[in-house]
Amino acid sequence: MDSLTAARWQMTISLAFHMVYAAVGIGLPLLLVMVEGMYLRTGQEQYKKLAKKWSKVMGLLFAVGAVSGTALSLELGLLWPAYMEIMGAVVGHIFGLEGYAFFLEAIFIGIYLYAWDKISPLAHWLSGVVIATTGMLSGIFVLGVNAWMQQPVGFEMADKVVTVTDPIAIFKQPLWFYMAWHSTLACYLSVAFAVAGWYSYLALKGRNDAYVRSGLIAAMLLGGVCAFLQPMSGDLLAKFVFKTQPTKFAAMEGQFKTEKHAPLRIGGWPDEKTRETKYAIEIPGGLSFIATGDSTAEVPGLDRVPERDWPNIELTHLAFQIMVGSGTALMFVSVWFWIAWFRYRENVLSSRWLMRALIVCTPLGFIGLESGWMVTELGRQPWVIQGLMRTKDAVTPVAGVQGMFVAFTLLYGLLTVMVIALLWKLAQSSKDGEVAK
């Protein structure tokens, strides 16, 4: 394995690992605010029990996310010095803002965990609001850096000297807003369906009390809203990618040939040798319509781009299909749940097929989140900074990358085992939350 391959694999594993904890850090605090707010409003004890249980999970996963985030910062500096030289000069201050939000989040998590019954209920709830806000802002700032990698703006470069012309240029671009909206919703969606899956599991095991019902309904309220907003945010983002990154768009859709009345493909497998996407269900004119609003419009294909500038088309198309498929499934299950809720109310937990469906959906949000990230990053290749620096030119020339890859992979493996063990221990105490029906 050469240094470039080892460095890319290390970033893949590191980001895939860290993304789960980042999503929990964004999504779970909002659920905490919801259930504690319901406790303040109704005085019903199960909401407070839920908030206390979830705050323990939040504290645990925040600590692991802090470790993996620190490791990521180290990896970026060691593995990609040429990239960091430019990125740090132009948008490094955005990482500084992310760090500021992170520290605020950490401070208020401490208050939230240890100040139950020591400050007023309203002040405690407001500390949760700060956690939810700063967690969301951390993600939005990081997406500012990622958006800049897709659309580098705000600087000039002459004789390898970078001159910053506008330090907040990326925040003025629609891409940053579209990415921030889409990714934040994905984090809420992932966490909500993971929580809903757990309480559906408890319902299938015979728990039909207020504690389980309240946890499931809170999760499905957040998940249902996000499931219906997500296609809108995805549509806006896809249209912008079509305008600014047509190669990525063509890879996402398996569009090899430039053509008018381009079909929308559902599924299928791109074949680079024959330059066609096989086995797909095609909707004539669908892709032209989604991209432009006109079913007869021309869609540029990969034939407009030299092959040396193609991303990995198979993986980009597959990841895009998985992302769309998982999001669609979550939307349909949300509809099913809320129809059942309005028909059966508290007895919704008795619908065993619905509970089974929610259990199946438990990982789908995270699968969609990871797939979406793969589309974003794979679709930009071979560039680490779009049109400016190729990934192969950014990797460190120093030897020993392979050893670092092994060491960090072992670290993430160890952290995974520890988290599973600790979450399992927390789960075993779930009966503590049981209250009267």
Side-chain angles (χ1 to χ4, degrees):
M1 183 183 290
D2 60 24
S3 292
L4 177 60
T5 304
R8 292 189 68 183
W9 267 111
Q10 184 167 336
M11 294 308 297
T12 300
I13 292 172
S14 301
L15 285 166
F17 180 88
H18 181 69
M19 194 172 296
V20 173
Y21 299 92
V24 173
I26 292 171
L28 193 54
L30 182 56
L31 278 173
L32 279 171
V33 169
M34 289 169 60
V35 294
E36 191 176 2
M38 286 300 297
Y39 169 68
L40 294 181
R41 182 182 174 192
T42 66
Q44 295 179 17
E45 196 65 20
Q46 75 269 15
Y47 291 115
K48 185 176 182 180
K49 289 179 181 292
L50 283 168
K52 284 197 169 186
K53 175 72 73 176
W54 294 352
S55 66
K56 292 177 184 175
V57 177
M58 177 184 68
L60 167 65
L61 299 187
F62 178 84
V64 178
V67 173
S68 61
T70 304
L72 260 176
S73 301
L74 180 67
E75 292 171 30
L76 282 171
L78 293 177
L79 296 176
W80 311 101
Y83 157 75
M84 290 296 289
E85 188 175 353
I86 299 176
M87 186 280 289
V90 183
V91 290
H93 58 286
I94 299 179
F95 270 138
L97 292 173
E98 188 271 338
Y100 185 71
F102 170 80
F103 284 122
L104 276 177
E105 184 183 6
I107 291 168
F108 279 88
I109 283 178
I111 294 172
Y112 194 90
L113 288 176
Y114 297 106
W116 285 101
D117 306 321
K118 293 183 175 63
I119 57 178
S120 72
L122 180 60
H124 190 269
W125 178 77
L126 287 174
S127 69
V129 173
V130 174
I131 296 168
T133 304
T134 51
M136 178 189 65
L137 287 175
S138 289
I140 287 176
F141 286 136
V142 170
L143 286 164
V145 177
N146 193 280
W148 178 83
M149 293 165 68
Q150 319 291 329
Q151 190 183 10
V153 292
F155 71 104
E156 294 173 350
M157 195 167 177
D159 298 327
K160 297 185 179 180
V161 176
V162 177
T163 303
V164 178
T165 57
D166 186 350
I168 59 169
I170 192 59
F171 293 135
K172 301 174 184 176
Q173 301 298 317
L175 179 62
W176 167 68
F177 172 74
Y178 296 149
M179 288 182 67
W181 184 18
H182 193 59
S183 297
T184 303
L185 285 176
C187 292
Y188 291 148
L189 193 64
S190 304
V191 173
F193 272 90
V195 171
W198 171 248
Y199 289 101
S200 300
Y201 168 75
L202 292 181
L204 273 182
K205 298 285 283 183
R207 292 279 302 274
N208 192 3
D209 52 62
Y211 177 81
V212 172
R213 278 197 304 274
S214 300
L216 178 58
I217 291 169
M220 286 308 297
L221 182 60
L222 178 61
V225 171
C226 293
F228 277 88
L229 291 176
Q230 192 66 312
M232 289 184 266
S233 69
D235 180 63
L236 288 173
L237 181 56
K239 282 181 167 61
F240 195 79
V241 169
F242 171 72
K243 293 176 183 173
T244 58
Q245 293 179 286
T247 306
K248 177 192 285 188
F249 186 84
M252 287 160 51
E253 303 288 354
Q255 184 71 25
F256 284 94
K257 185 174 64 176
T258 300
E259 62 181 333
K260 294 181 178 179
H261 206 63
L264 177 66
R265 297 178 180 85
I266 301 172
W269 183 256
D271 186 333
E272 290 190 31
K273 290 182 180 176
T274 60
R275 300 200 170 197
E276 61 181 3
T277 298
K278 299 178 177 177
Y279 319 120
I281 300 171
E282 296 192 352
I283 302 174
L287 186 58
S288 294
F289 182 79
I290 286 177
T292 67
D294 178 0
S295 64
T296 64
E298 181 179 274
V299 174
L302 290 158
D303 56 0
R304 289 273 180 91
V305 186
E307 285 192 34
R308 67 176 183 279
D309 289 342
W310 284 10
N312 186 316
I313 299 165
E314 291 90 347
L315 287 181
T316 305
H317 180 71
L318 177 64
F320 181 68
Q321 295 292 316
I322 291 174
M323 179 188 70
V324 174
S326 59
T328 304
L330 294 180
M331 188 169 62
F332 280 119
V333 172
S334 297
V335 172
W336 184 4
F337 176 85
W338 284 110
I339 290 176
W341 166 255
F342 284 112
R343 289 186 65 185
Y344 305 118
R345 294 291 174 176
E346 285 78 5
N347 291 324
V348 69
L349 272 66
S350 301
S351 176
R352 298 186 70 80
W353 280 110
L354 176 56
M355 296 301 106
R356 291 187 183 114
L358 286 169
I359 292 171
V360 171
C361 288
T362 302
L364 281 191
F366 283 102
I367 290 172
L369 180 69
E370 299 275 5
S371 301
W373 162 68
M374 288 182 68
V375 171
T376 301
E377 298 305 302
L378 285 173
R380 192 189 59 244
Q381 300 300 321
W383 306 98
V384 64
I385 303 174
Q386 182 70 44
L388 182 69
M389 176 180 283
R390 290 179 182 269
T391 306
K392 67 181 179 62
D393 297 328
V395 73
T396 179
V398 177
V401 174
Q402 294 82 357
M404 186 176 169
F405 167 56
V406 173
F408 274 88
T409 302
L410 289 174
L411 169 66
Y412 294 129
L414 178 63
L415 286 173
T416 301
V417 172
M418 289 173 57
V419 168
I420 291 173
L422 290 170
L423 286 179
W424 180 252
K425 189 174 181 181
L426 268 176
Q428 295 311 299
S429 63
S430 62
K431 288 183 179 178
D432 293 345
E434 195 165 8
V435 295
K437 296 181 181 180

